[in-house]
């Protein structure tokens, strides 16, 4: 079964404010994306803008299929 869209993974290691090193990549990729999944969502039910964090997140991504 083929996905509805081509999956693209972009990992940004920049710190919170500005994303100085990755801004050009984000601007180039953004117009091509149908949807995104952000691992650092807005704050609370009112959806306030997230401008910083005080913790670390670790994730394991498992991919299967044919090369």
């Amino acid at each position: 079964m083929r996905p509805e869209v081509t999956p693209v993974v972009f990992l940004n290691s920049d710190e919170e404010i500005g994303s100085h090193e990755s801004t050009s990549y984000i601007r180039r990729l953004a117009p091509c994306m149908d949807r995104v999944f952000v691992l650092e969502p807005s704050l609370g039910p009112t959806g306030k803008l997230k401008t910083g964090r005080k913790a670390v997140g670790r994730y394991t991504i498992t991919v299967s299929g044919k090369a």
Side-chain angles (χ1 to χ4, degrees), residues 16-35:
E16 280 77 13
I17 299 174
S19 296
H20 300 292
E21 297 298 321
S22 61
T23 297
S24 63
Y25 296 104
I26 293 169
R27 288 181 188 220
R28 191 168 48 224
L29 286 170
C32 305
M33 300 297 111
D34 291 316
R35 56 198 82 155

Side-chain angles (χ1 to χ4, degrees), residues 1-66:
M1 184 170 138
R2 294 181 58 85
E4 290 182 35
V5 295
T6 301
V8 175
V9 176
F10 177 74
L11 303 174
N12 177 2
S13 64
D14 285 346
E15 286 300 321
E16 280 77 13
I17 299 174
S19 296
H20 300 292
E21 297 298 321
S22 61
T23 297
S24 63
Y25 296 104
I26 293 169
R27 288 181 188 220
R28 191 168 48 224
L29 286 170
C32 305
M33 300 297 111
D34 291 316
R35 56 198 82 155
V36 299
F37 176 60
V38 178
L39 299 175
E40 193 166 335
S42 60
L43 293 173
T46 60
K48 292 181 180 177
L49 179 65
K50 180 130 186 148
T51 59
R53 69 171 183 247
K54 294 182 172 101
V56 172
R58 291 200 171 117
Y59 304 92
T60 299
I61 300 172
T62 304
V63 179
S64 61
K66 295 181 180 180

